[in-house]
Amino acid sequence: MTRRLTVTERHAAAERDFLLEEIADQSSWDQFLVEQAVLTFGRHHETWSCNDLRDVLPELGHGFLGAAINSLRTGGVIAHTGRAVPSTSPATHGHRLAVWTLTAKGRGIAAARLARKQGRAAA
């Protein structure tokens, strides 16, 4: 038989669940921003690695970089070039990082985003 929670325990559990939900919402928002940065960076550079992106992202975005790259790769928006470079982050001890490029799909998405942005600016 399951023990019934006290009023205090129920409130603590509700607060915990709310905080976890808030963190999850924040995480998806941050990942979305990092994905947007990758698209913009890819529009301006033929190839890049996470070394390049770390230099243009705020510190908060660094933790979402791997998830954003994986999401964009899985979605067919970016592709591995077959090349790798050593990491410049001291925490990674120089392990190898993939070099990426936008796919045709990625270039189309980036171009459409730019056109929408320019359309809003002209209005």
Side-chain angles (χ1 to χ4, degrees):
M1 183 175 208
T2 314
R3 180 178 78 81
R4 295 183 77 176
L5 298 176
T6 66
V7 172
T8 304
E9 290 170 326
R10 283 196 313 269
H11 283 279
E15 184 176 351
R16 179 201 65 222
D17 291 345
F18 174 75
L19 290 174
L20 289 173
E21 190 174 306
E22 189 176 349
I23 289 168
D25 288 345
Q26 182 71 28
S27 297
S28 63
W29 184 78
D30 287 340
Q31 182 175 336
F32 178 76
L33 287 178
V34 173
E35 289 171 357
Q36 299 307 309
V38 171
L39 282 171
T40 300
F41 198 87
R43 200 177 75 236
H44 294 285
H45 300 85
E46 186 66 29
T47 63
W48 72 91
S49 73
C50 288
N51 288 334
D52 302 311
L53 292 166
R54 261 196 319 272
D55 291 342
V56 297
L57 289 172
E59 190 70 32
L60 181 63
H62 295 184
F64 297 99
L65 192 49
I69 291 289
N70 192 44
S71 172
L72 293 168
R73 178 193 55 80
T74 302
V77 177
I78 64 173
H80 191 291
T81 63
R83 296 184 6 240
V85 295
S87 174
T88 57
S89 171
T92 62
H93 306 289
H95 78 273
R96 307 292 287 168
L97 297 176
V99 176
W100 301 97
T101 190
L102 287 179
T103 62
K105 178 180 180 180
R107 285 189 295 279
I109 292 169
R113 286 180 40 76
L114 180 62
R116 280 194 310 271
K117 178 182 174 187
Q118 290 174 337
R120 283 192 306 261

